[in-house]
Amino acid sequence: MFIYYIKKVIRAKSFLFWNLAFPLILMTCMHFAFGNIYNIENNISPMNAVLVSVGEGNYQESFETVMTELSSDDADRKLFELSYADSIDSGRAMLEQDAEVLFVVTDDDISVTLAKKHSSTAGAVARGVTNSFRQRYALMADAFESDPASAASVLQMITEEAEQSFAKPADNVFSEEPNPYTWYFYSTFVMAIFFDSMSGVNIVGDLKADVTREAMRFSVSPSKKSRMIILAFTARLIPCLLIAAVQLAVMKLVFGLSLGTDPVKLIIFVVSAVIFSIGFGVMCGLLFKGNVESRANKATAIVMTSVFLSGEMIMQIPGLFEKYCPIINDINPATVINMAFYKMAVCGNDAGFYLNIIKIIGLAVLFLVIGVIILRREKYASL
Amino acid sequence: MAEILKVTDLVKRYKELIALDHFDMSVNEGEIFGLLGPNGSGKSTCINCIMSLLTYDKGSIKIFGKEMSPKEYDIKSKIGIVPQDVAVYDSLTVYENIDFFCGLYITDKEKRKKYVQEAIDFVALNDFVKFKPKKLSGGLKRRLNIACGIAHKPKLIFFDEPTVAVDPQSRNKILEGIEQLRKGGATIIYTSHYMEEVEQLCDRVLIIDKGHTIAEGTIDELKGMIKKSEIITIEASGVDEKDIEAVRELPNVYSVDYKDNCLKVEAGSGKHNVIDIVNILQDKGYRMKKIFSEQPTLNDVFLELTGKQLRDE
């Protein structure tokens, strides 16, 4: 019986497509679309830069200080291998050799010239640094006049800002711009797990005689309902877990994503999230009316809405909810699962991880208890 | 013959609608019992109540002498059902489907293997065992549906309109199969709104409409319940109204209709109905081309008892 249940599940093309193939396709597309961002975010190697100061003033001196800080081996994130040139011509000559970017700073402005062969990150970094400096210089000039001591802290601020622009703090998962590369991948993985809800809906279809004719055969047979529930649930759970394992392996080995440092926590997360999703599907299957397809369609609508609100397409959404209406993040299942995963894999935030896991397990148990009570019913008011 | 199923005073309501109204039914061992009624008459509701799938408001259902309930696994193990809609899994093959549903009743693998093969032989699906149901024709799917319901060799089998949307060849095979099952010792409860099938197959018939028993008995007993026992049709051209009136005045005749040179007479039981009518027409010099006499059908029984056609769909 169990083997047939498993066969039934793994032969369902829609199950394999939505739970396995679609998330992997989406991840592959995202890898090509956002792989460069990942490089900017994580793999910026210091670029060769040439600085030419034309004249001697506070503006040039301040910029030179910022560039020196960003080129220092002691910097949190070293962005430049900095060389100096006496003139613009010699700077350009160096640009034609091995430098990637030329900064020419005058009394009141900075010009940026990129080498013909420059990396895609060079322009973004150079512009980011110069723009940050321009915006903050007025503040710094005031500080020089009124309180020279505070000018140093403004300079520090500019340096830190430039460093942070290219190294987002990972623990701020509700920041307006969380790390997009990891965020979209984790959201997609969570979406794939949440698609397991369809398995829950199908369990209802397997066992409720007022939903499918096949279930009617179960109800009239001498097989005990509790046994059928365990068989149906286990036969759905195992393929879902295997699929999640495949996806995690691809995320780790192909896309180079962090899955955290503790495999036990990862297993706890995956098992509880899959059970939660199946339980959620069981609840949807029981609450909605109509045939299995109709119930599954309604459940899909809820799952997709939940996934959308968790930031699968627009990653800033959960950050906005956290700011204006945090309860939505607390009750949105996809966000709760997403947060548990993100906090485990990226932030190493144990408290946050376990809080979300407790929520997931609590709801999973609740859904399954209600589900089992209703599914064990033997007689119906109507069929 | 032992009474295998007894339904007494069964009442089932769907809010305001009374689907079964103090319904009684009794089925004896080894018979094919027909439950005949138009769509929505309460046939499927009755079966679902008997199978303990539906709650009911009042009444008693006894199967094999025991009160039926969802926990009566012993009774359930002796029952088979062939539902109206094909209830098989599209992702499993023909063999796997039969084995799967047989597995709900038979846990012994060797025994089940034998039973499944016998069911496949019975419905003649040997050439299709590795096919998925999607690839089967409507008739073959119906046969698979039957195999899934009877593989565990039940003693009491419910066939809920098993021939709906089936081609005549498959229909005949299904009906022959049901007859074979009875010969094998099973008791059959057969619901349909196809009166020809019921007439051909059933030993006893219960006619149900709006949850009420309209009539119950053998086919002959049911036909005996109505005054019409013969329909005589004679092709003769130019019959006068005066002569039609003479036919109408014959004893036993209660309805005469003359249309398109065709005289149609409905008569009650009488030994010489045809001869009496033919004599009148011969005496008046009419030439008769065709003469035939038909027995009333179950539809006529239903029509006379309820005032409407059985196939009021």
Side-chain angles (χ1 to χ4, degrees):
Chain A
M1 290 293 284
F2 183 70
I3 298 293
Y4 283 138
Y5 258 120
I6 294 273
K7 277 187 182 176
K8 207 157 71 67
V9 174
I10 59 173
R11 281 181 190 168
K13 285 177 189 158
S14 63
F15 170 76
L16 290 179
F17 177 76
W18 289 109
N19 291 56
L20 178 64
F22 178 67
L24 288 181
I25 291 168
L26 208 57
M27 283 183 194
T28 308
C29 293
M30 283 193 305
H31 177 68
F32 288 114
F34 298 122
N36 199 34
I37 289 175
Y38 178 66
N39 291 336
I40 292 172
E41 300 282 326
N42 297 287
N43 286 334
I44 294 174
S45 52
M47 68 191 79
N48 290 327
V50 182
L51 177 62
V52 178
S53 293
V54 181
E56 289 177 6
N58 281 340
Y59 195 80
Q60 293 93 322
E61 194 183 327
S62 304
F63 186 68
E64 207 170 306
T65 310
V66 169
M67 289 299 288
T68 308
E69 284 289 327
L70 293 173
S71 313
S72 163
D73 289 336
D74 299 332
D76 288 344
R77 184 164 286 254
K78 185 179 176 182
L79 297 178
F80 304 109
E81 288 290 354
L82 190 63
S83 308
Y84 296 90
D86 297 335
S87 64
I88 295 173
D89 287 342
S90 59
R92 282 192 177 140
M94 289 168 80
L95 197 61
E96 282 177 9
Q97 288 171 6
D98 61 345
E100 274 190 273
V101 59
L102 168 66
F103 293 96
V104 178
V105 55
T106 59
D107 287 341
D108 55 0
D109 200 13
I110 307 159
S111 71
V112 175
T113 311
L114 294 168
K116 279 180 188 168
K117 285 184 181 175
H118 63 270
S119 69
S120 53
T121 56
V125 174
R127 266 182 232 109
V129 170
T130 49
N131 287 340
S132 174
F133 182 81
R134 285 188 193 109
Q135 285 162 14
R136 300 289 180 191
Y137 182 73
L139 187 66
M140 197 164 62
D142 285 347
F144 269 123
E145 282 180 14
S146 58
D147 179 11
S150 67
S153 64
V154 176
L155 258 177
Q156 180 69 23
M157 190 169 77
I158 294 170
T159 309
E160 281 172 5
E161 201 174 73
E163 284 176 354
Q164 284 171 4
S165 296
F166 303 98
K168 297 288 177 201
D171 57 344
N172 187 6
V173 290
F174 285 126
S175 67
E176 288 191 5
E177 289 181 44
N179 183 326
Y181 188 76
T182 49
W183 181 262
Y184 281 128
F185 271 92
Y186 294 157
S187 293
T188 304
F189 177 65
V190 166
M191 180 187 75
I193 285 190
F194 212 19
F195 276 150
D196 293 341
S197 306
M198 297 313 118
S199 293
V201 177
N202 283 313
I203 288 174
V204 174
D206 278 345
L207 298 170
K208 269 192 109 225
D210 59 345
V211 180
T212 64
R213 296 280 101 183
E214 292 84 354
M216 197 192 81
R217 285 198 193 272
F218 287 130
S219 291
V220 300
S221 80
S223 292
K224 290 189 178 172
K225 270 275 179 91
S226 46
R227 179 174 167 258
M228 304 312 298
I229 291 169
I230 292 167
L231 277 178
F233 179 78
T234 319
R236 302 271 171 187
L237 179 66
I238 290 172
C240 290
L241 288 174
L242 288 176
I243 284 175
V246 169
Q247 281 162 350
L248 286 172
V250 172
M251 284 166 72
K252 176 80 180 169
L253 302 174
V254 180
F255 303 125
L257 287 157
S258 165
L259 301 178
T261 52
D262 189 346
V264 176
K265 275 201 274 185
L266 184 63
I267 291 168
I268 292 173
F269 167 75
V270 172
V271 173
S272 52
V274 169
I275 293 175
F276 167 81
S277 299
I278 295 176
F280 184 80
V282 169
M283 286 309 293
C284 288
L286 291 172
L287 290 173
F288 295 131
K289 302 284 174 206
N291 57 24
V292 181
E293 287 74 26
S294 154
R295 289 171 198 235
N297 290 341
K298 288 167 192 164
T300 305
I302 290 187
V303 166
M304 294 311 287
T305 307
S306 171
V307 167
F308 174 77
L309 295 179
S310 79
E312 163 67 19
M313 296 174 79
I314 304 166
M315 62 184 171
Q316 290 85 357
I317 286 179
L320 292 173
F321 283 137
E322 195 63 16
K323 210 169 176 179
Y324 299 109
C325 188
I327 193 157
I328 293 179
N329 283 336
D330 293 333
I331 61 169
N332 181 13
T335 309
V336 173
I337 302 175
N338 226 342
M339 283 301 116
F341 193 37
Y342 200 89
K343 282 177 178 172
M344 175 199 66
V346 179
C347 315
N349 179 342
D350 275 359
F353 169 72
Y354 285 116
L355 180 68
N356 283 291
I357 284 292
I358 288 167
K359 277 189 204 173
I360 292 168
I361 293 174
L363 283 171
V365 169
L366 180 72
F367 291 159
L368 290 177
V369 167
I370 295 172
V372 168
I373 289 169
I374 299 176
L375 285 173
R376 284 192 67 198
R377 190 170 64 167
E378 307 264 7
K379 275 188 174 184
Y380 300 87
S382 64
L383 288 174
Chain B
M1 274 191 292
E3 193 177 57
I4 263 191
L5 169 69
K6 183 154 184 66
V7 177
T8 315
D9 202 23
L10 193 63
V11 177
K12 170 67 186 170
R13 289 191 185 89
Y14 295 109
K15 293 178 183 170
E16 299 303 309
L17 177 80
I18 301 176
L20 291 171
D21 192 3
H22 300 280
F23 180 78
D24 295 311
M25 180 172 132
S26 167
V27 179
N28 296 322
E29 189 178 358
E31 71 179 353
I32 300 181
F33 185 87
L35 195 55
L36 187 64
N39 288 339
S41 59
K43 303 186 297 290
S44 293
T45 300
C46 173
I47 287 188
N48 289 329
C49 286
I50 293 170
M51 305 296 295
S52 257
L53 285 169
L54 278 176
T55 56
Y56 45 88
D57 302 281
K58 199 184 162 197
S60 148
I61 296 167
K62 282 187 177 175
I63 305 178
F64 304 116
K66 275 186 186 174
E67 194 69 34
M68 179 60 173
S69 82
K71 304 281 180 201
E72 286 294 342
Y73 299 119
D74 186 41
I75 296 178
K76 281 179 162 186
S77 66
K78 295 179 200 162
I79 297 177
I81 183 158
V82 178
Q84 194 170 344
D85 301 315
V86 176
V88 295
Y89 291 116
D90 283 337
S91 50
L92 298 181
T93 63
V94 165
Y95 184 91
E96 289 167 344
N97 263 299
I98 301 170
D99 195 28
F100 181 79
F101 288 113
C102 187
L104 296 171
Y105 298 81
I106 311 288
T107 47
D108 183 290
K109 272 188 184 174
E110 283 306 308
K111 192 176 174 187
R112 194 167 76 224
K113 198 174 172 186
K114 182 173 163 268
Y115 279 19
V116 170
Q117 191 51 55
E118 284 174 10
I120 290 168
D121 294 340
F122 181 76
V123 293
L125 281 176
N126 294 287
D127 295 338
F128 306 95
V129 285
K130 288 186 178 169
F131 280 50
K132 298 264 179 72
K134 266 185 196 169
K135 302 229 167 142
L136 300 178
S137 67
L140 293 177
K141 268 187 204 169
R142 287 270 165 196
R143 276 145 70 177
L144 170 61
N145 198 35
I146 291 171
C148 291
I150 56 112
H152 59 287
K153 299 195 184 301
K155 288 185 178 167
L156 175 63
I157 311 172
F158 291 85
F159 282 88
D160 193 2
E161 310 212 23
T163 56
V164 171
V166 165
D167 60 277
Q169 198 186 353
S170 289
R171 176 177 295 192
N172 285 337
K173 285 210 165 173
I174 290 170
L175 299 182
E176 282 168 19
I178 292 169
E179 187 59 54
Q180 261 183 282
L181 285 170
R182 187 256 290 273
K183 282 178 186 161
T187 305
I188 315 281
I189 296 176
Y190 187 88
T191 77
S192 179
H193 60 258
Y194 294 127
M195 60 216 162
E196 306 87 351
E197 288 178 7
V198 173
E199 279 197 65
Q200 180 187 337
L201 204 63
C202 298
D203 304 312
R204 282 196 312 128
V205 176
L206 186 150
I207 298 176
I208 181 173
D209 188 38
K210 293 178 182 169
H212 290 278
T213 302
I214 302 295
E216 186 181 357
T218 62
I219 304 289
D220 288 340
E221 282 170 351
L222 289 176
K223 288 178 180 174
M225 286 177 188
I226 58 172
K227 62 179 180 180
K228 175 170 69 179
S229 65
E230 197 173 10
I231 302 161
I232 301 153
T233 309
I234 300 171
E235 260 188 57
S237 51
V239 181
D240 277 350
E241 185 56 40
K242 197 171 64 178
D243 301 321
I244 294 170
E245 195 54 41
V247 172
R248 195 170 280 134
E249 282 170 9
L250 284 170
N252 301 324
V253 169
Y254 59 86
S255 162
V256 181
D257 185 33
Y258 184 66
K259 207 188 283 176
D260 300 329
N261 295 330
C262 195
L263 187 72
K264 194 172 177 183
V265 180
E266 292 182 357
S269 55
K271 286 181 183 171
H272 311 294
N273 289 336
V274 178
I275 294 166
D276 291 346
I277 296 165
V278 168
N279 282 343
I280 290 175
L281 295 177
Q282 256 181 348
D283 289 349
K284 299 292 179 184
Y286 295 110
R287 288 191 62 189
M288 290 165 277
K289 290 177 190 167
K290 285 180 188 169
I291 303 168
F292 50 92
S293 166
E294 295 168 277
Q295 295 296 305
T297 63
L298 285 176
N299 192 42
D300 296 317
V301 175
F302 192 79
L303 181 66
E304 196 166 315
L305 294 175
T306 66
K308 62 182 181 183
Q309 296 281 338
L310 191 54
R311 285 183 185 168
D312 258 353
E313 290 167 76

